[in-house]
Short mmCIF file of all heavy atoms in Angstrom, two decimals:
data_model
loop_
_atom_site.label_atom_id
_atom_site.label_comp_id
_atom_site.label_asym_id
_atom_site.label_seq_id
_atom_site.Cartn_x
_atom_site.Cartn_y
_atom_site.Cartn_z
N MET A 1 137.64 -95.93 -105.41
CA MET A 1 137.29 -94.54 -105.74
C MET A 1 137.38 -93.63 -104.51
O MET A 1 137.88 -92.53 -104.57
CB MET A 1 135.86 -94.48 -106.31
CG MET A 1 135.83 -94.59 -107.83
SD MET A 1 136.98 -93.53 -108.71
CE MET A 1 135.94 -92.08 -108.96
N LYS A 2 136.88 -94.15 -103.38
CA LYS A 2 136.86 -93.34 -102.16
C LYS A 2 138.27 -92.95 -101.73
O LYS A 2 138.50 -91.84 -101.26
CB LYS A 2 136.16 -94.12 -101.04
CG LYS A 2 134.84 -93.44 -100.63
CD LYS A 2 134.24 -94.10 -99.43
CE LYS A 2 132.97 -93.40 -98.99
NZ LYS A 2 132.26 -94.13 -97.96
N LYS A 3 139.19 -93.88 -101.93
CA LYS A 3 140.57 -93.66 -101.50
C LYS A 3 141.17 -92.45 -102.23
O LYS A 3 141.89 -91.65 -101.66
CB LYS A 3 141.39 -94.93 -101.80
CG LYS A 3 142.53 -95.10 -100.83
CD LYS A 3 143.23 -96.42 -101.07
CE LYS A 3 144.40 -96.56 -100.15
NZ LYS A 3 145.19 -97.76 -100.46
N ALA A 4 140.85 -92.34 -103.50
CA ALA A 4 141.37 -91.22 -104.30
C ALA A 4 140.91 -89.89 -103.73
O ALA A 4 141.68 -88.93 -103.67
CB ALA A 4 140.91 -91.37 -105.75
N PHE A 5 139.67 -89.86 -103.27
CA PHE A 5 139.13 -88.62 -102.70
C PHE A 5 139.83 -88.28 -101.39
O PHE A 5 140.12 -87.12 -101.11
CB PHE A 5 137.62 -88.76 -102.47
CG PHE A 5 136.82 -88.53 -103.73
CD1 PHE A 5 136.09 -89.57 -104.28
CD2 PHE A 5 136.80 -87.29 -104.34
CE1 PHE A 5 135.36 -89.37 -105.44
CE2 PHE A 5 136.07 -87.09 -105.50
CZ PHE A 5 135.34 -88.14 -106.06
N ILE A 6 140.12 -89.33 -100.60
CA ILE A 6 140.80 -89.11 -99.32
C ILE A 6 142.20 -88.55 -99.56
O ILE A 6 142.62 -87.57 -98.94
CB ILE A 6 140.83 -90.43 -98.50
CG1 ILE A 6 139.41 -90.81 -98.07
CG2 ILE A 6 141.74 -90.28 -97.28
CD1 ILE A 6 139.27 -92.25 -97.60
N ILE A 7 142.88 -89.15 -100.53
CA ILE A 7 144.25 -88.68 -100.85
C ILE A 7 144.20 -87.24 -101.34
O ILE A 7 144.97 -86.38 -100.93
CB ILE A 7 144.90 -89.63 -101.90
CG1 ILE A 7 145.17 -90.99 -101.24
CG2 ILE A 7 146.18 -89.01 -102.45
CD1 ILE A 7 145.49 -92.11 -102.20
N LEU A 8 143.22 -86.96 -102.21
CA LEU A 8 143.06 -85.61 -102.75
C LEU A 8 142.76 -84.62 -101.62
O LEU A 8 143.32 -83.53 -101.57
CB LEU A 8 141.90 -85.62 -103.77
CG LEU A 8 141.81 -84.37 -104.66
CD1 LEU A 8 142.95 -84.36 -105.67
CD2 LEU A 8 140.48 -84.33 -105.39
N GLY A 9 141.92 -85.06 -100.68
CA GLY A 9 141.56 -84.22 -99.54
C GLY A 9 142.77 -83.90 -98.68
O GLY A 9 142.99 -82.76 -98.28
N LEU A 10 143.58 -84.92 -98.44
CA LEU A 10 144.79 -84.73 -97.64
C LEU A 10 145.75 -83.79 -98.35
O LEU A 10 146.38 -82.93 -97.74
CB LEU A 10 145.48 -86.08 -97.39
CG LEU A 10 144.81 -87.01 -96.39
CD1 LEU A 10 145.50 -88.37 -96.41
CD2 LEU A 10 144.86 -86.44 -94.98
N PHE A 11 145.84 -83.95 -99.65
CA PHE A 11 146.73 -83.14 -100.46
C PHE A 11 146.32 -81.66 -100.38
O PHE A 11 147.13 -80.78 -100.08
CB PHE A 11 146.66 -83.64 -101.91
CG PHE A 11 147.64 -82.97 -102.83
CD1 PHE A 11 149.00 -83.15 -102.68
CD2 PHE A 11 147.18 -82.15 -103.86
CE1 PHE A 11 149.89 -82.53 -103.53
CE2 PHE A 11 148.07 -81.52 -104.71
CZ PHE A 11 149.43 -81.72 -104.54
N ILE A 12 145.04 -81.40 -100.60
CA ILE A 12 144.53 -80.03 -100.55
C ILE A 12 144.67 -79.48 -99.13
O ILE A 12 145.09 -78.35 -98.93
CB ILE A 12 143.06 -79.97 -101.06
CG1 ILE A 12 143.04 -80.30 -102.55
CG2 ILE A 12 142.44 -78.59 -100.79
CD1 ILE A 12 141.65 -80.61 -103.10
N GLY A 13 144.34 -80.33 -98.13
CA GLY A 13 144.46 -79.91 -96.74
C GLY A 13 145.88 -79.54 -96.39
O GLY A 13 146.13 -78.58 -95.67
N GLY A 14 146.82 -80.32 -96.90
CA GLY A 14 148.25 -80.05 -96.65
C GLY A 14 148.66 -78.71 -97.21
O GLY A 14 149.37 -77.95 -96.55
N ILE A 15 148.21 -78.43 -98.42
CA ILE A 15 148.55 -77.14 -99.04
C ILE A 15 147.95 -76.00 -98.23
O ILE A 15 148.61 -75.01 -97.94
CB ILE A 15 148.05 -77.10 -100.51
CG1 ILE A 15 148.85 -78.11 -101.36
CG2 ILE A 15 148.17 -75.69 -101.09
CD1 ILE A 15 148.27 -78.32 -102.75
N ALA A 16 146.69 -76.17 -97.83
CA ALA A 16 146.00 -75.13 -97.05
C ALA A 16 146.73 -74.88 -95.73
O ALA A 16 146.92 -73.74 -95.34
CB ALA A 16 144.55 -75.54 -96.80
N ALA A 17 147.17 -75.95 -95.08
CA ALA A 17 147.88 -75.82 -93.80
C ALA A 17 149.19 -75.09 -94.01
O ALA A 17 149.59 -74.26 -93.21
CB ALA A 17 148.11 -77.20 -93.20
N CYS A 18 149.86 -75.41 -95.11
CA CYS A 18 151.16 -74.79 -95.42
C CYS A 18 151.00 -73.28 -95.63
O CYS A 18 151.72 -72.50 -95.08
CB CYS A 18 151.74 -75.40 -96.69
SG CYS A 18 152.97 -76.64 -96.34
N THR A 19 150.04 -72.92 -96.46
CA THR A 19 149.86 -71.51 -96.78
C THR A 19 149.37 -70.74 -95.58
O THR A 19 149.75 -69.60 -95.39
CB THR A 19 148.90 -71.32 -97.98
OG1 THR A 19 147.74 -72.10 -97.74
CG2 THR A 19 149.54 -71.72 -99.28
N SER A 20 148.53 -71.38 -94.74
CA SER A 20 148.00 -70.65 -93.58
C SER A 20 149.09 -70.39 -92.55
O SER A 20 149.13 -69.32 -91.96
CB SER A 20 146.82 -71.40 -92.96
OG SER A 20 147.25 -72.59 -92.37
N THR A 21 150.01 -71.33 -92.37
CA THR A 21 151.09 -71.10 -91.40
C THR A 21 152.08 -70.08 -91.96
O THR A 21 152.64 -69.29 -91.23
CB THR A 21 151.82 -72.41 -91.04
OG1 THR A 21 152.14 -73.10 -92.23
CG2 THR A 21 151.01 -73.28 -90.12
N LYS A 22 152.24 -70.09 -93.26
CA LYS A 22 153.15 -69.15 -93.90
C LYS A 22 152.66 -67.72 -93.72
O LYS A 22 153.42 -66.85 -93.35
CB LYS A 22 153.25 -69.48 -95.40
CG LYS A 22 154.68 -69.67 -95.85
CD LYS A 22 154.72 -69.95 -97.33
CE LYS A 22 156.07 -70.52 -97.73
NZ LYS A 22 156.08 -70.87 -99.15
N THR A 23 151.38 -67.52 -93.98
CA THR A 23 150.84 -66.17 -93.86
C THR A 23 150.61 -65.82 -92.39
O THR A 23 150.63 -64.66 -92.05
CB THR A 23 149.52 -66.02 -94.65
OG1 THR A 23 148.65 -67.06 -94.25
CG2 THR A 23 149.74 -66.07 -96.15
N GLY A 24 150.42 -66.84 -91.55
CA GLY A 24 150.16 -66.61 -90.13
C GLY A 24 151.28 -65.84 -89.46
O GLY A 24 151.04 -65.05 -88.56
N GLU A 25 152.49 -66.05 -89.91
CA GLU A 25 153.64 -65.35 -89.33
C GLU A 25 153.62 -63.86 -89.60
O GLU A 25 154.05 -63.08 -88.79
CB GLU A 25 154.94 -65.92 -89.90
CG GLU A 25 155.27 -67.29 -89.36
CD GLU A 25 156.42 -67.92 -90.11
OE1 GLU A 25 157.25 -67.18 -90.66
OE2 GLU A 25 156.48 -69.15 -90.14
N THR A 26 153.13 -63.52 -90.77
CA THR A 26 153.21 -62.12 -91.17
C THR A 26 151.86 -61.43 -91.23
O THR A 26 151.76 -60.35 -91.76
CB THR A 26 153.91 -62.00 -92.55
OG1 THR A 26 153.28 -62.92 -93.43
CG2 THR A 26 155.39 -62.27 -92.46
N THR A 27 150.84 -62.08 -90.69
CA THR A 27 149.52 -61.48 -90.75
C THR A 27 149.48 -60.23 -89.87
O THR A 27 149.69 -60.29 -88.67
CB THR A 27 148.42 -62.47 -90.34
OG1 THR A 27 148.41 -63.52 -91.28
CG2 THR A 27 147.05 -61.80 -90.30
N LEU A 28 149.24 -59.12 -90.49
CA LEU A 28 149.17 -57.85 -89.78
C LEU A 28 147.81 -57.24 -90.02
O LEU A 28 147.28 -57.32 -91.12
CB LEU A 28 150.26 -56.90 -90.28
CG LEU A 28 151.69 -57.31 -89.97
CD1 LEU A 28 152.64 -56.52 -90.84
CD2 LEU A 28 152.02 -57.09 -88.53
N GLU A 29 147.28 -56.67 -88.98
CA GLU A 29 145.97 -56.04 -89.11
C GLU A 29 146.16 -54.55 -89.34
O GLU A 29 146.84 -53.88 -88.56
CB GLU A 29 145.17 -56.28 -87.84
CG GLU A 29 143.72 -56.65 -88.14
CD GLU A 29 142.98 -57.01 -86.87
OE1 GLU A 29 143.27 -58.06 -86.28
OE2 GLU A 29 142.14 -56.19 -86.48
N VAL A 30 145.59 -54.05 -90.39
CA VAL A 30 145.71 -52.62 -90.69
C VAL A 30 144.94 -51.82 -89.64
O VAL A 30 143.79 -52.10 -89.36
CB VAL A 30 145.20 -52.32 -92.12
CG1 VAL A 30 145.22 -50.83 -92.40
CG2 VAL A 30 146.04 -53.07 -93.15
N ALA A 31 145.62 -50.85 -89.07
CA ALA A 31 145.01 -50.03 -88.02
C ALA A 31 144.25 -48.87 -88.63
O ALA A 31 144.70 -48.26 -89.60
CB ALA A 31 146.10 -49.49 -87.10
N PRO A 32 143.10 -48.56 -88.07
CA PRO A 32 142.36 -47.39 -88.56
C PRO A 32 143.10 -46.10 -88.17
O PRO A 32 143.89 -46.11 -87.23
CB PRO A 32 141.01 -47.50 -87.85
CG PRO A 32 141.27 -48.32 -86.63
CD PRO A 32 142.41 -49.23 -86.97
N GLU A 33 142.86 -45.05 -88.90
CA GLU A 33 143.56 -43.79 -88.63
C GLU A 33 143.26 -43.24 -87.25
O GLU A 33 144.00 -42.43 -86.72
CB GLU A 33 143.18 -42.76 -89.70
CG GLU A 33 144.07 -42.89 -90.93
CD GLU A 33 143.71 -41.87 -91.99
OE1 GLU A 33 143.63 -40.68 -91.66
OE2 GLU A 33 143.51 -42.28 -93.15
N THR A 34 142.14 -43.70 -86.66
CA THR A 34 141.74 -43.23 -85.34
C THR A 34 142.45 -43.97 -84.21
O THR A 34 142.37 -43.56 -83.06
CB THR A 34 140.21 -43.39 -85.18
OG1 THR A 34 139.86 -44.72 -85.57
CG2 THR A 34 139.45 -42.40 -86.03
N ALA A 35 143.15 -45.04 -84.53
CA ALA A 35 143.85 -45.81 -83.50
C ALA A 35 144.91 -44.94 -82.83
O ALA A 35 145.60 -44.16 -83.49
CB ALA A 35 144.49 -47.05 -84.12
N THR A 36 145.05 -45.08 -81.51
CA THR A 36 146.00 -44.24 -80.78
C THR A 36 147.44 -44.69 -81.01
O THR A 36 148.34 -43.88 -81.09
CB THR A 36 145.68 -44.23 -79.28
OG1 THR A 36 145.44 -45.56 -78.84
CG2 THR A 36 144.47 -43.37 -78.97
N VAL A 37 147.63 -45.99 -81.09
CA VAL A 37 148.98 -46.51 -81.35
C VAL A 37 148.94 -47.34 -82.63
O VAL A 37 148.13 -48.24 -82.76
CB VAL A 37 149.49 -47.37 -80.17
CG1 VAL A 37 150.91 -47.86 -80.44
CG2 VAL A 37 149.45 -46.57 -78.87
N ARG A 38 149.79 -46.99 -83.54
CA ARG A 38 149.85 -47.71 -84.82
C ARG A 38 151.31 -48.04 -85.10
O ARG A 38 152.21 -47.37 -84.61
CB ARG A 38 149.28 -46.83 -85.94
CG ARG A 38 147.84 -46.42 -85.68
CD ARG A 38 147.51 -45.13 -86.42
NE ARG A 38 147.09 -45.41 -87.78
CZ ARG A 38 147.47 -44.69 -88.84
NH1 ARG A 38 148.28 -43.69 -88.69
NH2 ARG A 38 147.05 -44.99 -90.03
N TYR A 39 151.51 -49.04 -85.87
CA TYR A 39 152.87 -49.45 -86.22
C TYR A 39 153.05 -49.32 -87.72
O TYR A 39 152.26 -49.82 -88.50
CB TYR A 39 153.13 -50.89 -85.77
CG TYR A 39 153.08 -51.01 -84.26
CD1 TYR A 39 151.88 -51.24 -83.60
CD2 TYR A 39 154.24 -50.88 -83.52
CE1 TYR A 39 151.82 -51.33 -82.23
CE2 TYR A 39 154.20 -50.97 -82.13
CZ TYR A 39 152.98 -51.19 -81.50
OH TYR A 39 152.93 -51.28 -80.13
N GLN A 40 154.12 -48.64 -88.08
CA GLN A 40 154.33 -48.30 -89.48
C GLN A 40 155.77 -48.63 -89.88
O GLN A 40 156.68 -48.55 -89.06
CB GLN A 40 154.09 -46.80 -89.63
CG GLN A 40 153.52 -46.40 -90.96
CD GLN A 40 153.05 -44.95 -90.93
OE1 GLN A 40 153.62 -44.11 -90.26
NE2 GLN A 40 151.99 -44.67 -91.66
N CYS A 41 155.95 -48.93 -91.14
CA CYS A 41 157.30 -49.20 -91.65
C CYS A 41 158.10 -47.90 -91.65
O CYS A 41 157.61 -46.88 -92.13
CB CYS A 41 157.20 -49.76 -93.06
SG CYS A 41 158.81 -49.93 -93.85
N PRO A 42 159.33 -47.91 -91.11
CA PRO A 42 160.13 -46.68 -91.12
C PRO A 42 160.46 -46.19 -92.53
O PRO A 42 160.75 -45.02 -92.72
CB PRO A 42 161.39 -47.06 -90.34
CG PRO A 42 161.42 -48.54 -90.29
CD PRO A 42 160.02 -49.04 -90.46
N MET A 43 160.40 -47.08 -93.49
CA MET A 43 160.68 -46.70 -94.87
C MET A 43 159.43 -46.25 -95.61
O MET A 43 159.49 -45.85 -96.76
CB MET A 43 161.31 -47.88 -95.63
CG MET A 43 162.59 -48.43 -95.02
SD MET A 43 163.90 -47.21 -94.88
CE MET A 43 164.35 -47.06 -96.60
N LYS A 44 158.28 -46.37 -94.94
CA LYS A 44 156.98 -46.02 -95.52
C LYS A 44 156.75 -46.72 -96.85
O LYS A 44 156.30 -46.12 -97.83
CB LYS A 44 156.88 -44.49 -95.69
CG LYS A 44 157.01 -43.76 -94.36
CD LYS A 44 155.89 -42.76 -94.18
CE LYS A 44 156.01 -42.13 -92.80
NZ LYS A 44 154.85 -41.41 -92.38
N CYS A 45 157.03 -48.01 -96.87
CA CYS A 45 156.83 -48.83 -98.07
C CYS A 45 155.39 -48.78 -98.54
O CYS A 45 155.12 -48.82 -99.73
CB CYS A 45 157.19 -50.28 -97.79
SG CYS A 45 158.93 -50.56 -97.51
N GLN A 46 154.48 -48.72 -97.60
CA GLN A 46 153.07 -48.76 -97.95
C GLN A 46 152.40 -47.42 -97.67
O GLN A 46 151.22 -47.37 -97.35
CB GLN A 46 152.38 -49.89 -97.20
CG GLN A 46 152.96 -51.25 -97.60
CD GLN A 46 152.33 -52.38 -96.82
OE1 GLN A 46 152.37 -52.40 -95.60
NE2 GLN A 46 151.75 -53.31 -97.53
N GLY A 47 153.16 -46.37 -97.76
CA GLY A 47 152.60 -45.04 -97.57
C GLY A 47 152.14 -44.85 -96.14
O GLY A 47 152.90 -45.07 -95.21
N ASP A 48 150.90 -44.48 -95.98
CA ASP A 48 150.36 -44.20 -94.65
C ASP A 48 149.76 -45.44 -93.98
O ASP A 48 149.19 -45.34 -92.91
CB ASP A 48 149.30 -43.09 -94.74
CG ASP A 48 149.95 -41.72 -94.93
OD1 ASP A 48 151.08 -41.53 -94.43
OD2 ASP A 48 149.35 -40.87 -95.58
N THR A 49 149.87 -46.58 -94.62
CA THR A 49 149.31 -47.79 -94.04
C THR A 49 150.04 -48.13 -92.75
O THR A 49 151.26 -48.18 -92.70
CB THR A 49 149.43 -48.97 -95.03
OG1 THR A 49 148.80 -48.60 -96.24
CG2 THR A 49 148.78 -50.23 -94.48
N ALA A 50 149.26 -48.32 -91.68
CA ALA A 50 149.82 -48.67 -90.38
C ALA A 50 149.08 -49.88 -89.84
O ALA A 50 147.97 -50.19 -90.28
CB ALA A 50 149.68 -47.49 -89.43
N TYR A 51 149.71 -50.55 -88.89
CA TYR A 51 149.14 -51.78 -88.34
C TYR A 51 148.89 -51.67 -86.85
O TYR A 51 149.48 -50.84 -86.17
CB TYR A 51 150.08 -52.95 -88.65
CG TYR A 51 150.30 -53.12 -90.13
CD1 TYR A 51 151.43 -52.56 -90.74
CD2 TYR A 51 149.38 -53.78 -90.92
CE1 TYR A 51 151.62 -52.67 -92.11
CE2 TYR A 51 149.56 -53.89 -92.28
CZ TYR A 51 150.68 -53.35 -92.88
OH TYR A 51 150.85 -53.45 -94.23
N THR A 52 147.99 -52.54 -86.38
CA THR A 52 147.60 -52.51 -84.97
C THR A 52 148.65 -53.15 -84.07
O THR A 52 148.70 -52.87 -82.88
CB THR A 52 146.27 -53.25 -84.76
OG1 THR A 52 146.39 -54.56 -85.33
CG2 THR A 52 145.11 -52.52 -85.40
N THR A 53 149.46 -54.03 -84.64
CA THR A 53 150.47 -54.72 -83.82
C THR A 53 151.86 -54.54 -84.43
O THR A 53 152.00 -54.30 -85.62
CB THR A 53 150.15 -56.22 -83.74
OG1 THR A 53 149.95 -56.71 -85.05
CG2 THR A 53 148.92 -56.49 -82.89
N ALA A 54 152.86 -54.67 -83.57
CA ALA A 54 154.24 -54.59 -84.04
C ALA A 54 154.54 -55.83 -84.86
O ALA A 54 153.96 -56.89 -84.64
CB ALA A 54 155.19 -54.49 -82.86
N GLY A 55 155.45 -55.70 -85.79
CA GLY A 55 155.80 -56.84 -86.62
C GLY A 55 156.80 -56.39 -87.66
O GLY A 55 157.49 -55.40 -87.46
N LYS A 56 156.84 -57.13 -88.74
CA LYS A 56 157.78 -56.79 -89.80
C LYS A 56 157.04 -56.29 -91.02
O LYS A 56 155.94 -56.75 -91.33
CB LYS A 56 158.61 -58.03 -90.17
CG LYS A 56 159.44 -58.53 -89.00
CD LYS A 56 160.80 -59.02 -89.47
CE LYS A 56 161.57 -59.67 -88.35
NZ LYS A 56 162.21 -58.70 -87.47
N CYS A 57 157.63 -55.34 -91.69
CA CYS A 57 157.04 -54.79 -92.91
C CYS A 57 156.95 -55.90 -93.94
O CYS A 57 157.93 -56.58 -94.19
CB CYS A 57 157.91 -53.65 -93.43
SG CYS A 57 157.43 -53.09 -95.07
N PRO A 58 155.77 -56.10 -94.53
CA PRO A 58 155.64 -57.17 -95.53
C PRO A 58 156.43 -56.89 -96.80
O PRO A 58 156.67 -57.79 -97.58
CB PRO A 58 154.13 -57.21 -95.81
CG PRO A 58 153.56 -55.95 -95.29
CD PRO A 58 154.51 -55.40 -94.28
N VAL A 59 156.84 -55.67 -97.00
CA VAL A 59 157.57 -55.31 -98.22
C VAL A 59 159.08 -55.44 -98.00
O VAL A 59 159.75 -56.19 -98.69
CB VAL A 59 157.20 -53.89 -98.69
CG1 VAL A 59 157.94 -53.53 -99.98
CG2 VAL A 59 155.70 -53.76 -98.89
N CYS A 60 159.63 -54.72 -97.01
CA CYS A 60 161.08 -54.72 -96.82
C CYS A 60 161.54 -55.52 -95.61
O CYS A 60 162.73 -55.62 -95.36
CB CYS A 60 161.60 -53.28 -96.73
SG CYS A 60 161.06 -52.43 -95.24
N LYS A 61 160.61 -56.09 -94.85
CA LYS A 61 160.90 -56.94 -93.69
C LYS A 61 161.58 -56.21 -92.53
O LYS A 61 162.13 -56.84 -91.65
CB LYS A 61 161.75 -58.17 -94.08
CG LYS A 61 161.28 -58.90 -95.31
CD LYS A 61 160.00 -59.68 -95.06
CE LYS A 61 159.54 -60.39 -96.32
NZ LYS A 61 158.10 -60.51 -96.39
N MET A 62 161.52 -54.92 -92.54
CA MET A 62 162.07 -54.16 -91.42
C MET A 62 161.05 -54.16 -90.29
O MET A 62 159.86 -54.32 -90.52
CB MET A 62 162.36 -52.71 -91.85
CG MET A 62 163.71 -52.55 -92.53
SD MET A 62 163.97 -50.85 -93.03
CE MET A 62 164.44 -50.12 -91.48
N ASP A 63 161.54 -53.97 -89.05
CA ASP A 63 160.62 -53.91 -87.91
C ASP A 63 159.76 -52.66 -88.02
O ASP A 63 160.27 -51.57 -88.30
CB ASP A 63 161.43 -53.87 -86.60
CG ASP A 63 162.05 -55.22 -86.31
OD1 ASP A 63 161.40 -56.25 -86.59
OD2 ASP A 63 163.18 -55.25 -85.80
N LEU A 64 158.49 -52.85 -87.75
CA LEU A 64 157.58 -51.70 -87.80
C LEU A 64 157.84 -50.81 -86.60
O LEU A 64 158.17 -51.27 -85.52
CB LEU A 64 156.12 -52.19 -87.78
CG LEU A 64 155.69 -53.08 -88.96
CD1 LEU A 64 154.28 -53.58 -88.74
CD2 LEU A 64 155.78 -52.35 -90.29
N LYS A 65 157.70 -49.52 -86.81
CA LYS A 65 157.95 -48.55 -85.76
C LYS A 65 156.64 -48.03 -85.19
O LYS A 65 155.68 -47.82 -85.94
CB LYS A 65 158.75 -47.37 -86.32
CG LYS A 65 160.19 -47.36 -85.86
CD LYS A 65 160.92 -46.21 -86.48
CE LYS A 65 161.27 -45.14 -85.46
NZ LYS A 65 162.01 -44.04 -86.09
N GLU A 66 156.63 -47.84 -83.89
CA GLU A 66 155.42 -47.35 -83.24
C GLU A 66 155.19 -45.89 -83.63
O GLU A 66 156.09 -45.06 -83.59
CB GLU A 66 155.59 -47.47 -81.73
CG GLU A 66 154.29 -47.29 -80.98
CD GLU A 66 154.48 -47.42 -79.47
OE1 GLU A 66 155.10 -48.40 -79.02
OE2 GLU A 66 154.00 -46.53 -78.76
N VAL A 67 153.97 -45.61 -84.02
CA VAL A 67 153.60 -44.25 -84.39
C VAL A 67 152.46 -43.83 -83.48
O VAL A 67 151.43 -44.50 -83.42
CB VAL A 67 153.14 -44.17 -85.87
CG1 VAL A 67 152.77 -42.74 -86.24
CG2 VAL A 67 154.22 -44.69 -86.79
N LYS A 68 152.67 -42.75 -82.75
CA LYS A 68 151.62 -42.29 -81.85
C LYS A 68 150.85 -41.15 -82.48
O LYS A 68 151.43 -40.25 -83.09
CB LYS A 68 152.23 -41.84 -80.51
CG LYS A 68 152.44 -43.04 -79.61
CD LYS A 68 152.93 -42.64 -78.23
CE LYS A 68 153.18 -43.88 -77.39
NZ LYS A 68 154.35 -43.74 -76.54
N ALA A 69 149.56 -41.23 -82.33
CA ALA A 69 148.70 -40.18 -82.87
C ALA A 69 148.86 -38.92 -82.04
O ALA A 69 149.03 -38.99 -80.84
CB ALA A 69 147.25 -40.65 -82.88
N GLU A 70 148.79 -37.79 -82.73
CA GLU A 70 148.95 -36.54 -82.01
C GLU A 70 147.61 -35.95 -81.61
O GLU A 70 146.62 -36.22 -82.23
CB GLU A 70 149.70 -35.54 -82.88
CG GLU A 70 151.20 -35.91 -82.89
CD GLU A 70 151.96 -35.05 -83.90
OE1 GLU A 70 151.68 -33.84 -84.00
OE2 GLU A 70 152.82 -35.59 -84.57
ZN1 ZN B 1 158.94 -51.46 -95.45
#
């Protein structure tokens, strides 16, 4: 019986590891409007949503563009 639980645990753990590494690549932190430097999709896929770090747009995969607050 114990063995089944271990296998199940490994199985669930494997899935969790897979999904976490998958999202880890594209994890972007949404920047508050008060942030001095924000990164935004040039196509504005997500409207005014901007991120704290450079990366790729989760919608169109384009490189995010630096947006400076005025
Ligand atoms: Zn986009």
Side-chain angles (χ1 to χ4, degrees):
M1 268 312 268
K2 246 187 178 171
K3 209 175 177 186
F5 279 115
I6 292 164
I7 291 166
L8 193 72
L10 286 172
F11 186 67
I12 293 166
I15 292 170
C18 261
T19 49
S20 68
T21 48
K22 234 182 196 176
T23 53
E25 287 171 26
T26 50
T27 296
L28 293 164
E29 223 175 290
V30 176
E33 274 180 51
T34 49
T36 46
V37 182
R38 301 155 86 222
Y39 295 87
Q40 212 169 33
C41 173
M43 303 301 288
K44 300 230 176 194
C45 292
Q46 298 178 302
D48 285 329
T49 304
Y51 301 96
T52 53
T53 51
K56 297 218 187 280
C57 170
V59 182
C60 68
K61 313 288 179 211
M62 276 179 79
D63 287 323
L64 298 175
K65 253 178 110 179
E66 194 180 310
V67 180
K68 276 185 183 142
E70 284 172 41

